Amino acid sequence: MKTDTSNAKRTAADDRLTSNTIFELLCEDHRRYALSYLTQRVGAVRLEELIDRLAHRDGEPTPERIEQLTVEFHHNHLQKFLDAEVLQYDTEAGTVERRAAASSLDPYLELASVNDLSLAE
């Protein structure tokens, strides 16, 4: 007899990420910042807003820099987040939102932000 699991509820154990996935997601500075930014927000955030924050973080944003970050985010970072199921992307609304699995990254983000701050001093 085959068990139908199509309607099964996800558990906290299902939302755990492998160490390889965690390291891959957090190895890039823009991904760490994007995840940290989304951690501080409730609900969905317009992708334009997130990219604008990344551009401001890197210095004075120019239209060229924003375009470069937009392309980079769409073709590299966003896909990694979606593959790992840590973000949800609404293409029609142009918004991104953290999913439950993203909470697995929070302790590492906290450590990384302390390290990033100490490197900036």
Side-chain angles (χ1 to χ4, degrees):
M1 179 161 130
K2 187 175 178 184
T3 304
D4 180 15
T5 59
S6 61
N7 291 325
K9 293 188 182 200
R10 291 177 58 94
T11 66
D14 296 331
D15 293 329
R16 284 192 223 129
L17 301 172
T18 67
S19 58
N20 285 343
T21 300
I22 290 169
F23 290 130
E24 174 148 2
L25 291 175
L26 299 181
C27 74
E28 209 285 326
D29 185 50
H30 285 139
R31 285 197 292 267
R32 284 194 311 271
Y33 181 79
L35 286 166
S36 293
Y37 184 77
L38 292 171
T39 298
Q40 299 167 19
R41 302 290 177 259
V42 175
V45 172
R46 286 186 7 260
L47 192 54
E48 290 174 357
E49 175 187 338
L50 178 59
I51 291 170
D52 186 61
R53 296 302 306 156
L54 284 169
H56 277 87
R57 182 178 176 269
D58 289 346
E60 190 62 35
T62 63
E64 295 82 19
R65 181 66 181 137
I66 290 173
E67 178 64 25
Q68 178 186 14
L69 282 170
T70 300
V71 169
E72 180 183 311
F73 203 85
H74 270 281
H75 293 285
N76 184 9
H77 308 310
L78 183 59
Q79 193 57 52
K80 289 189 187 302
F81 290 142
L82 296 176
D83 289 345
E85 299 181 348
V86 297
L87 292 186
Q88 178 177 317
Y89 178 50
D90 183 334
T91 55
E92 289 183 22
T95 58
V96 290
E97 186 173 8
R98 279 175 47 115
R99 296 180 71 180
S103 63
S104 299
L105 299 168
D106 292 344
Y108 304 100
L109 284 171
E110 206 172 301
L111 288 172
S113 70
V114 169
N115 188 46
D116 289 346
L117 289 174
S118 68
L119 292 175
E121 294 174 353

